[in-house]
Amino acid sequence: FCDWLVEEGYTMAYYDVSEVGGWGTYLIYTLAYFMLVEIGIYWMHRTLHTNKFLYKYIHALHHSYNSPETLTPWASIAFNPLDGILQASPYVFW
């Protein structure tokens, strides 16, 4: 299925850097992508903190792991699935 999407032009996948416009264009696109994704993640995370409804029902679970007994590497992935989708959305939209 992935090959078909690429072959039919439904993706922005390139086989060679020259198809993007060269290394300069490639670097500009890469930097722009990273900047937009980081800004998007920042604002999504900030919204999850500042919107009382989103914080209480979606994001607060992530912050409930804050004592020495529960603060482990696993706490970083303890979140509501909708929280994960929202914070991953900048990767998809940019």
Side-chain angles (χ1 to χ4, degrees), residues 2-23:
C2 293
D3 289 338
W4 180 82
L5 289 173
V6 171
E7 290 166 3
E8 294 298 316
Y10 289 106
T11 69
M12 294 179 70
Y14 301 103
Y15 293 107
D16 191 70
V17 174
S18 63
E19 294 179 47
V20 180
W23 282 103

Side-chain angles (χ1 to χ4, degrees), residues 7 13 19 21 23 30 41 43 55 57-58 61 69 75-77 82-83 90:
E7 290 166 3
E19 294 179 47
W23 282 103
T30 302
I41 292 169
W43 281 105
Y55 185 82
Y57 294 106
I58 296 176
L61 171 66
E69 297 81 30
S76 66
I77 58 171
L82 188 54
D83 186 351

Side-chain angles (χ1 to χ4, degrees), residues 19-62:
E19 294 179 47
V20 180
W23 282 103
T25 305
Y26 172 76
L27 290 173
I28 289 169
Y29 282 161
T30 302
L31 291 173
Y33 172 79
F34 285 133
M35 283 181 17
L36 291 170
V37 165
E38 288 301 317
I39 290 168
I41 292 169
Y42 168 80
W43 281 105
M44 182 55 70
H45 193 211
R46 183 179 169 120
T47 301
L48 287 166
H49 276 267
T50 56
N51 182 298
K52 292 182 190 307
F53 177 82
L54 292 176
Y55 185 82
K56 182 177 181 180
Y57 294 106
I58 296 176
H59 192 66
L61 171 66
H62 173 70

